[in-house]
């Protein structure tokens, strides 16, 4: 009896352990689930096309390629494919960079190799000695690794692999995550736990998570990471911390990922013992030169610095009567001998500048066009305010042809529901990238500014403010993984379609079943418009609550800086609502090329999605659908809530295609999102109703609480603040 009981307990414990670890693993494995292919027909086709791996190279990166291929194929094809170093059998996958290929194969691929750059790859079906083979190659081993991930994606998404002929290469050079991670492991605007970087245990303890992080990034082509917050701490530049940074760089290197740091402009004073950080002071210049030398001695491929200067209280060259060019060029000179770069942020605005905040970065930076060193790239947020659910593209794109500009997107959802709301961001990213600046006439897309083709720039890049933390599933919301994934894919190729990316991600993460893919893809693609509708429809912006930006706070008017207050942005009054940025207002429209300016300036041609961004509009104004502005606004809020409800239904209907753990997680999160969407609708409409003085139209649900109730809500411990 006793032993039976013990046996039962043991079995339960084992079962518990197995199921516990599989829960953790599913979430943890991101888009690299590599599940066994259950469709027998597809499986047998793949098995017939692949029966060996030949790895021709021995570098650390090459080993990652062959291990990944071996592990993933054996899992997906449920077979025992081995890695060899010589070509023997037919239907092998031959991997290795150009220089190690057999001469005959290289000759066959000569033309293809001219199509790619240093990080690109070729995947091609060939005949070698009359035997069918697949070659994955590139100019360098890192290209081969990208090729391997791309090949695996084909298998993960059930694409044919019989006649492959793919040449692909990244369109930007710097595809980088910006971690706003502090040295105490809190993450500014982080909603997925604490920082991955365990500074206290580094450099001696290498958490396996660092490897998994690098692998996930490499799989989508990300090749850089800024480890530290833009609101920087100078200590990261001391030997004590550089030793730790070096350890991380060593882990990331074989995955093609370079490490970058944020440079606190006042570091020469804080950790260098100097009296000044004036960029024109010789001792300051020398301090940075020595600092660069010290860093590169440890980390020969160190990427460079990201700098937030004279912005939101951060120190910068203006503290010494110098300007952004002086500051950026001084740092650029320090890292130039080692091939480093400086990413200088354009996110600047000042409480002492009475100008429309949306105009300030352009006004300050555009006159500097052409004055920065060759190794400086100016990093510009996608819109002129701050990562709102929707912003028109930043007018700096298309206005600085002589300066490389890189895009800064925010992957973490500071203003879009934290990690609780399902919002598929590549849709937002795509909208920005395909906006037309008209800098050189029609088709001067933001994407062309960013990839350097519009103005012939060699230094190009896209940054994403990371949504990663030490949560088991990395990003808090299982669907927020898609935002990390999609960011990487768009950084590689800013012309990709967000729908295609969503589908890839779903197939690699959840299921290839069309009955899952079709409805969930639609849900993802609509989710961005849903959040715009229930938070900031028709061009409203920055009406989130104070500081933490969690939930609605359109009434907030007591913050020390005028442009931190929501009332500054919506300007609701008896006459109407919206920020007049037309020629008659602040003339922010004038910062765009004339064709674009005219479209935004004219009430009749301004897209309604941006209406209240550019115009102060009377409550009775007739929208295109015939509704008054007040009714239309209210109906948009309701539409947003209804869309979340639809998302809940969609999710319920795909239950059978998802593992129970992730199903439950998403279901619970959607319930919260629905609750919070209603909170947004009710709080905003009750507040704006005080000005419009009108009833809610038919079809809009009655508010669940009073305005006073919503105003009374406090969140002293909202995360990320
Ligand atoms: C804002 C964030 C703030 C960041 C700042 C920035 O609220 O935490 O430090 O942007 O980008 O979105 O520098």
């Amino acid at each position: 009896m006793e032993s039976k009981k013990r046996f039962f307990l043991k079995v339960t414990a084992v079962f518990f352990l197995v199921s516990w670890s599989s829960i953790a693993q599913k979430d943890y494995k991101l888009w690299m689930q590599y599940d066994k292919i259950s469709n027998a027909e597809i499986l047998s086709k793949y098995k017939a096309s692949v029966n060996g791996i030949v790895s021709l190279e021995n570098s650390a990166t090459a080993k990652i390629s062959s291990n990944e291929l071996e592990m993933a194929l054996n899992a997906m094809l449920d077979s025992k494919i081995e890695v060899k170093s010589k070509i023997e059998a037919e239907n092998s996958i031959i991997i290795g960079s150009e220089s190690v290929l057999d001469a005959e194969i290289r000759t066959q691929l000569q033309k293809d190799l001219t199509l790619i750059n240093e990080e690109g790859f070729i995947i091609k079906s060939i005949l070698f000695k009359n035997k069918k083979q697949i070659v994955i190659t590139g100019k360098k081993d890192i290209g081969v690794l990208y090729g391997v991930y791309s090949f695996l994606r084909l298998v993960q998404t059930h694409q044919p692999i019989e006649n492959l002929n793919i040449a692909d290469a990244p369109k930007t050079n710097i595809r980088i995550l910006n971690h706003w991670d502090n040295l105490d492991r809190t993450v500014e605007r982080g909603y997925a736990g604490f920082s991955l970087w365990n500074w206290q245990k580094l450099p001696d303890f290498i958490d396996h998570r660092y490897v998994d992080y690098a692998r996930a990034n490499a799989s989508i082509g990300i090749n850089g990471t800024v480890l530290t917050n833009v609101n920087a701490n100078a200590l990261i530049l001391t030997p004590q911390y550089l030793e730790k940074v070096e350890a991380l760089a060593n882990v990331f290197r074989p995955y093609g990922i370079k490490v970058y740091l944020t440079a606190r402009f006042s570091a020469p004073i804080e950790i260098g013992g100097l009296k000044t950080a004036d960029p024109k002071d010789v001792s300051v210049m020398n301090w940075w030169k020595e600092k660069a030398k010290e860093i590169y001695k440890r980390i020969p491929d160190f990427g460079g610095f990201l700098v937030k200067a004279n912005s939101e209280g951060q120190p910068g060259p203006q503290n010494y009567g110098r300007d952004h060019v002086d500051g950026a060029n001084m740092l650029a000179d320090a890292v130039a001998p080692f091939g480093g770069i400086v990413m200088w942020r354009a996110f600047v605005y000042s409480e002492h500048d009475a100008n429309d905040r949306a105009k300030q970065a352009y006004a300050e930076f555009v006159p500097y066009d052409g004055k920065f060193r060759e190794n400086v790239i100016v990093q510009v947020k996608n819109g002129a305010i701050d990562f709102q659910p929707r912003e028109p593209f930043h007018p700096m794109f298309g206005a600085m042809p002589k300066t490389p500009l890189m895009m800064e997107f925010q992957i973490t959802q500071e203003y879009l529901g934290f990690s609780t709301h399902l919002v598929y961001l590549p849709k937002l990213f795509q909208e920005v990238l395909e906006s037309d600046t008209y800098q050189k006439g029609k088709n001067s897309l933001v994407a062309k500014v960013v990839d350097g083709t519009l103005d012939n720039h060699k230094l190009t890049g896209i940054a994403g403010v990371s949504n990663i933390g030490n949560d088991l599933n990395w990003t808090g919301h299982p669907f927020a993984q898609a935002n990390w994934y999609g960011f990487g894919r768009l950084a590689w190729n800013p012309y990709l379609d967000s729908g295609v990316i969503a589908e890839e991600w779903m197939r690699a993460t959840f299921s290839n079943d069309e009955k899952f893919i079709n409805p969930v893809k639609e849900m993802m693609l609509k989710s961005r418009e849903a959040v715009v509708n229930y938070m900031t429809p028709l061009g409203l912006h920055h009406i989130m609550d104070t500081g933490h930006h969690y939930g609605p706070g359109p009434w907030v008017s007591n913050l020390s800086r005028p442009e931190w207050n929501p009332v500054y942005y919506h300007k609701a009054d008896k006459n109407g609502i919206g920020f007049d940025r037309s020629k008659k207002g602040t003339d922010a429209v004038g910062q765009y090329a004339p064709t674009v300016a005219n479209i935004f300036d004219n009430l009749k041609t301004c897209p309604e999605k941006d209406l209240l961004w550019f115009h102060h509009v009377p409550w009775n104004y007739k929208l295109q659908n015939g509704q008054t502005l007040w009714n239309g606004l209210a109906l948009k809020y309701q539409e947003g809530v209804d869309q979340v409800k639809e998302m809940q239904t969609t999710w319920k209907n795909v239950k059978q295609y998802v593992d129970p753990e992730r199903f439950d997680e998403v279901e619970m999160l959607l319930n919260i999102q629905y609750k919070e969407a209603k909170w947004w609708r009710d709080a905003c409409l009750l507040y704006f109703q005080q000005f419009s003085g009108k009833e809610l139209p038919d079809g809009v649900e009655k508010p669940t609480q009073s305005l006073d109730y919503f105003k009374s809500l406090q969140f002293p411990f909202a995360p990320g603040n």
Side-chain angles (χ1 to χ4, degrees), residues 119 142 146 170 172-177 214 217-218 220-226 252 255-260 301 303 460-462 487-488 491-492:
E119 291 178 292
I142 186 64
Y146 292 145
T172 61
N173 339 114
I174 306 163
R175 306 177 298 278
I176 193 167
L177 290 179
N217 280 320
I220 48 176
I222 288 174
N223 68 354
T225 179
V226 183
F252 300 161
Y255 291 88
I257 295 166
K258 280 188 186 178
V259 156
Y260 298 72
D301 56 353
T460 58
I462 302 195
F487 165 77
W492 177 278

Side-chain angles (χ1 to χ4, degrees), residues 57-72:
E57 219 165 3
N58 263 323
S59 68
T61 304
K63 285 204 183 102
I64 295 168
S65 288
S66 62
N67 286 344
E68 189 79 17
L69 203 53
E70 183 186 13
M71 179 272 290

Side-chain angles (χ1 to χ4, degrees), residues 223-380:
N223 68 354
T225 179
V226 183
L227 299 175
T228 46
N229 192 354
V230 285
N231 297 319
N233 189 322
L235 284 181
I236 194 70
L237 301 175
T238 59
Q240 186 192 3
Y241 277 93
L242 287 175
E243 192 188 10
K244 300 167 193 281
V245 174
E246 179 186 349
L248 287 174
N250 291 341
V251 175
F252 300 161
R253 186 168 299 114
Y255 291 88
I257 295 166
K258 280 188 186 178
V259 156
Y260 298 72
L261 293 173
T262 46
R264 183 157 164 94
F265 206 78
S266 50
I269 303 173
E270 287 156 12
I271 58 167
L274 300 188
K275 293 234 156 47
T276 176
D278 181 350
K280 295 254 164 140
D281 184 294
V282 177
S283 63
V284 172
M285 293 190 240
N286 285 336
W287 187 87
W288 281 109
K289 282 188 176 143
E290 285 307 309
K291 187 49 75 184
K293 214 187 267 171
E294 179 190 342
I295 297 174
Y296 279 93
K297 202 163 164 213
R298 289 179 180 279
I299 311 168
D301 56 353
F302 178 68
F305 294 125
L306 169 65
V307 189
K308 172 176 179 177
N310 294 121
S311 160
E312 297 184 331
Q314 292 299 303
Q318 291 170 352
N319 299 37
Y320 307 95
R322 316 293 181 188
D323 61 27
H324 286 286
V325 178
D326 300 326
N329 288 353
M330 182 270 295
L331 284 175
D333 289 343
V335 293
F338 312 98
I341 61 154
V342 170
M343 296 168 286
W344 193 268
R345 294 178 88 225
F347 179 66
V348 297
Y349 61 98
S350 160
E351 72 212 276
H352 307 297
D353 186 342
N355 240 324
D356 177 359
R357 170 171 164 190
K359 291 178 68 180
Q360 294 184 23
Y362 176 111
E364 189 151 354
F365 273 81
V366 170
Y368 300 141
D369 192 21
K371 297 196 172 147
F372 292 99
R373 295 276 194 271
E374 258 182 23
N375 59 334
V376 174
I377 185 162
V378 175
Q379 183 167 313
V380 186

Side-chain angles (χ1 to χ4, degrees), residues 183-248:
L183 301 184
D184 63 2
R185 296 191 77 182
T186 55
V187 180
E188 183 152 342
R189 312 309 177 184
Y191 313 105
F194 287 93
S195 170
L196 291 185
W197 325 132
N198 193 333
W199 296 113
Q200 193 256 323
K201 285 188 180 159
L202 280 164
D204 300 313
F205 185 84
I206 300 297
D207 190 331
H208 200 268
R209 235 172 152 169
Y210 306 148
V211 178
D212 294 342
Y213 165 85
R215 175 174 165 247
N217 280 320
S219 78
I220 48 176
I222 288 174
N223 68 354
T225 179
V226 183
L227 299 175
T228 46
N229 192 354
V230 285
N231 297 319
N233 189 322
L235 284 181
I236 194 70
L237 301 175
T238 59
Q240 186 192 3
Y241 277 93
L242 287 175
E243 192 188 10
K244 300 167 193 281
V245 174
E246 179 186 349
L248 287 174

